[in-house]
Amino acid sequence: MAISQRKSSSSADVTARRVFPDSAGPGRFLSAVDRLERTEELDPTIDWLRERIRRLPLGPLRDALHGRWLGHPLHPVLVQVPIGAWLSAAVLDLLPGERREADVLVLVGLSGAGPAAVAGWVDWAELQKPQMRVGLPHSVSNAVGVLLYAGSFAARRAGLRGLGRALGFAGFTVVGIGGALGGHMAYRQASGANHAEDVPHRMPAGWHPVGDMAQFPVEQPVRRRVGEVDVVVVRGPGGAVHVLADRCTHMGGPLSEGEVADGCITCPWHGSAFRLTDGWNVRGPATAPEHSFETRVLNGRVEIRLRD
């Protein structure tokens, strides 16, 4: 009996090590996702979808869906509705008897899935290729989950409660896989994160020279480095000098390679626009403002200090 139990425990441990990461390596799941990041075969489909999403005539709604007004992506907020509703429905389905409240929760989840998906697709179209490659199966998993929950609701309405519960549990499993992929995008690949958040922690205190005034052409972005931080310097028509952190808060694009117009600098990667005077993100997909610097000119030399 003891030998059998040890063998069973050992087998379970081996299986767990094969699936999940440990000191020996990343495990099967993480290895599969890492391979997915490098799967270029998905790129033609990604390019086709991205262009069509970008062409949608959303106007100001696009920035609203990005979550610029919220200060961070809106998609993670919206997904709480379907996930919370479906988790609650699953709990009720595990209880004995017929729980009509579970049917209502399934419907609530289906109602909330649409807005969450739209916000997710709009964000997805402005990511880098490795993130988009993981995001595509993430969205497919969630779409399959929605179809399973739609079937679950239809079965419940038809009185086939056993089938409705089974489809609901299957839907929750598939949505869980999609959620794991979404978590990989958010935390391992940093999609939606502020890519310039660490600037205050790496910027040396005090004033620092960045060059002579003559080295900065009017309204032409110039890249400079202070300590470990890259900054972009823009000299205005009236002689005022504006300095922002060079790394775009959205995906880390180089602002110094962007265009200056109407008092803003535009990231060359995804089109986020930041106001030169204070770094405010006037246009997304960036949801966080850029770090800005105070400037002064001493004996013709420009000096900068991180603005509080």
Side-chain angles (χ1 to χ4, degrees):
M1 177 70 71
I3 294 176
S4 176
Q5 288 177 343
R6 284 197 297 270
K7 287 183 177 179
S8 176
S9 176
S10 176
S11 176
D13 291 342
V14 170
T15 301
R17 285 196 296 271
R18 288 175 178 174
V19 175
F20 300 108
D22 60 13
S23 59
R28 288 184 176 179
F29 177 78
L30 194 54
S31 295
V33 180
D34 287 342
R35 287 194 299 271
L36 186 59
E37 294 181 19
R38 302 187 294 271
T39 305
E40 297 182 357
E41 289 79 1
L42 295 174
D43 290 356
T45 301
I46 287 172
D47 293 338
W48 185 87
L49 285 170
R50 177 177 58 188
E51 290 306 313
R52 277 146 186 82
I53 294 171
R54 286 180 171 179
R55 290 177 187 172
L56 292 174
L58 297 176
L61 181 60
R62 188 177 298 273
D63 271 4
L65 290 169
H66 282 311
R68 191 175 71 86
W69 58 274
L70 188 60
H72 60 76
L74 180 62
H75 175 66
V77 178
L78 295 180
V79 298
Q80 304 306 309
V81 175
I83 291 178
W86 289 336
L87 174 60
S88 300
V91 171
L92 292 178
D93 280 341
L94 289 173
L95 299 177
E98 294 187 6
R99 302 279 176 168
R100 299 291 180 180
E101 295 86 353
D103 304 355
V104 176
L105 288 168
V106 169
L107 182 59
V108 169
L110 288 169
S111 301
V118 172
W121 278 112
V122 170
D123 284 345
W124 175 86
E126 306 299 340
L127 298 177
Q128 302 293 75
K129 275 292 173 64
Q131 298 163 330
M132 299 176 83
R133 291 168 187 155
V134 178
L136 189 59
H138 162 71
S139 63
V140 170
S141 296
N142 289 333
V144 171
V146 168
L147 290 175
L148 288 169
Y149 270 110
S152 173
F153 185 74
R156 293 165 191 266
R157 296 292 292 174
L160 305 174
R161 303 205 59 80
L163 177 61
R165 288 179 176 177
L167 290 173
F169 290 133
F172 193 72
T173 300
V174 174
V175 168
I177 295 172
L181 293 173
H184 184 91
M185 294 173 63
Y187 298 107
R188 189 177 177 93
Q189 296 183 300
S191 60
N194 180 353
H195 285 253
E197 188 277 334
D198 62 337
V199 167
H201 308 295
R202 297 189 296 115
M203 184 69 189
W207 291 93
H208 305 277
V210 291
D212 295 333
M213 179 70 86
Q215 296 176 327
F216 304 114
V218 175
E219 293 197 325
Q220 295 296 317
V222 177
R223 185 179 183 180
R224 288 289 186 267
R225 190 172 183 84
V226 178
E228 299 179 354
V229 177
D230 291 324
V231 299
V232 55
V233 183
V234 179
R235 180 181 178 182
V241 179
H242 307 292
V243 180
L244 303 177
D246 188 47
R247 192 167 59 187
C248 178
T249 60
H250 173 239
M251 281 283 112
L255 296 183
S256 55
E257 297 178 15
E259 296 183 357
V260 175
D262 301 324
C264 296
I265 188 167
T266 301
C267 179
W269 284 8
H270 302 101
S272 297
F274 301 91
R275 193 162 55 208
L276 288 169
T277 54
D278 58 4
W280 182 249
N281 49 316
V282 301
R283 185 175 69 246
T287 59
E290 190 58 82
H291 293 285
S292 66
F293 294 78
E294 298 179 67
T295 63
R296 68 183 183 185
V297 180
L298 297 178
N299 300 320
R301 192 165 181 79
V302 179
E303 296 184 352
I304 67 171
R305 179 174 67 179
L306 184 65
R307 194 185 305 275
D308 289 336

